């Protein structure tokens, strides 16, 4: 299994540009998550999904959109990039939402908005 | 709300030294507690977890005990190696029905020198 994969690894955007961060998992997990990590801060949840066709907002959803058309893929869309979106983005997945459930993370996408 | 507080890093130790990374939490009830580790260039991965008071999680020589009375989950290792150099995240997940988000600490960077 490849686990959770993310592309690209690094990207520079200009203000106002748009892009899609790709995330895929091959573990047949129903639950998927997008986090952002800012320097010196913990991970903040952007969006999550409990299954194909079902998504919901996390703590910091503004400026982002997601879709979940398949179990495997959970892309994150930035429509109008802003400097405040400079961060490292992590995608994660889990088999269930039980409180003791482990989340599996991708390697992250580093985004710089100038 | 829920929160996790970790000691600030970076922590620099010589090989074979004893490691303690402090973690305290604020939450209602009895959350599940986790330590995740992030090696350079990789995503977070679960190191150990504990789901109830007085439980001890252990893995790869690391240990942490769920202390309800002090709301702590400190990470310890008796003899660190250069390969333990990474960023360590403490996290909690409430023990309630339905989806409950994971709250992460800010991470503690550990550097082990030969």
């Amino acid at each position: 299994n490849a686990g959770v994969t993310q592309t690209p690894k690094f990207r520079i955007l200009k203000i106002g540009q748009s892009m899609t961060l790709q995330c895929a998992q091959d573990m047949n997990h129903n639950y998927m998550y997008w986090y952002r990590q800012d320097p010196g801060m913990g991970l903040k949840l952007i969006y999550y999904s409990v299954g194909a066709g079902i998504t919901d907002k996390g703590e910091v959803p503004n400026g982002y959109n997601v879709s979940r058309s398949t179990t495997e893929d959970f892309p994150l869309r930035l429509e109008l990039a802003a400097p405040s979106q400079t961060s490292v983005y992590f995608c994660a997945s889990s088999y269930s939402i039980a409180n003791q459930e482990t989340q599996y993370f991708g390697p992250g996408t580093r985004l710089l908005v100038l | 709300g829920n929160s996790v507080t970790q000691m600030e890093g970076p922590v620099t130790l010589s090989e074979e030294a004893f490691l303690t990374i402090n973690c305290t939490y604020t939450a209602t009830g009895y959350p599940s507690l986790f330590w995740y580790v992030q090696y350079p260039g990789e995503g977070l991965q679960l190191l150990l977890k504990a789901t109830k008071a007085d439980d001890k999680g252990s893995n790869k020589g690391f240990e942490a005990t769920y202390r309800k009375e002090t709301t702590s989950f400190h990470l310890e290792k008796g003899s660190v190696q250069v390969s333990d150099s990474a960023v360590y995240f403490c996290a909690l997940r409430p023990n309630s029905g339905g989806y409950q988000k994971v709250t992460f600490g800010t991470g503690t960077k550990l550097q082990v020198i030969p």
Side-chain angles (χ1 to χ4, degrees):
Chain A
N1 286 351
V4 180
T5 57
Q6 292 183 238
T7 56
K9 289 186 178 180
F10 176 66
R11 182 77 181 267
I12 299 175
L13 282 182
K14 294 182 179 179
I15 294 172
Q17 286 185 318
S18 62
M19 78 165 292
T20 299
L21 282 67
Q22 300 292 344
C23 173
Q25 53 89 11
D26 62 358
M27 297 174 282
N28 202 30
H29 286 170
N30 283 325
Y31 303 92
M32 296 187 75
Y33 316 85
W34 273 106
Y35 294 92
R36 60 177 286 172
Q37 182 185 25
D38 300 320
M41 307 289 288
L43 279 71
K44 299 291 185 185
L45 183 67
I46 305 171
Y47 271 95
Y48 68 98
S49 170
V50 300
I54 307 171
T55 62
D56 207 348
K57 296 178 181 178
E59 303 170 80
V60 290
N62 291 345
Y64 307 94
N65 277 301
V66 294
S67 60
R68 184 95 181 273
S69 57
T70 66
T71 299
E72 294 78 19
D73 300 300
F74 190 40
L76 178 71
R77 179 84 177 162
L78 283 71
E79 291 294 349
L80 291 170
S84 61
Q85 293 178 306
T86 293
S87 189
V88 180
Y89 292 84
F90 291 101
C91 180
S93 71
S94 66
Y95 178 70
S96 78
I97 56 171
N99 66 295
Q100 72 272 27
E101 184 66 23
T102 300
Q103 292 193 359
Y104 296 83
F105 285 80
T109 294
R110 186 176 298 273
L111 177 65
L112 179 61
V113 182
L114 300 173
Chain B
N2 301 322
S3 67
V4 175
T5 302
Q6 290 182 235
M7 62 187 290
E8 289 196 19
V11 174
T12 302
L13 294 174
S14 297
E15 207 165 20
E16 299 183 2
F18 185 86
L19 168 71
T20 299
I21 299 178
N22 290 337
C23 171
T24 57
Y25 68 90
T26 301
T28 55
Y30 291 84
S32 289
L33 301 174
F34 307 82
W35 276 102
Y36 282 84
V37 59
Q38 183 182 25
Y39 297 106
E42 299 182 12
L44 283 71
Q45 55 186 273
L46 181 70
L47 180 60
L48 53 84
K49 65 183 178 184
T51 59
K52 59 182 187 296
D54 299 325
D55 265 3
K56 177 185 284 187
S58 61
N59 186 26
K60 299 181 180 180
F62 291 88
E63 292 183 341
T65 301
Y66 190 140
R67 301 286 188 198
K68 180 66 176 176
E69 64 276 12
T70 54
T71 61
S72 64
F73 193 54
H74 304 322
L75 183 68
E76 296 182 334
K77 187 175 185 183
S79 176
V80 294
Q81 305 300 313
V82 172
S83 58
D84 294 326
S85 297
V87 181
Y88 293 81
F89 292 88
C90 186
L92 71 82
R93 191 171 207 171
N95 210 348
S96 305
Y99 175 72
Q100 296 290 334
K101 75 175 186 72
V102 178
T103 298
F104 289 88
T106 54
T108 302
K109 184 175 183 178
L110 171 66
Q111 184 175 23
V112 181
I113 54 178

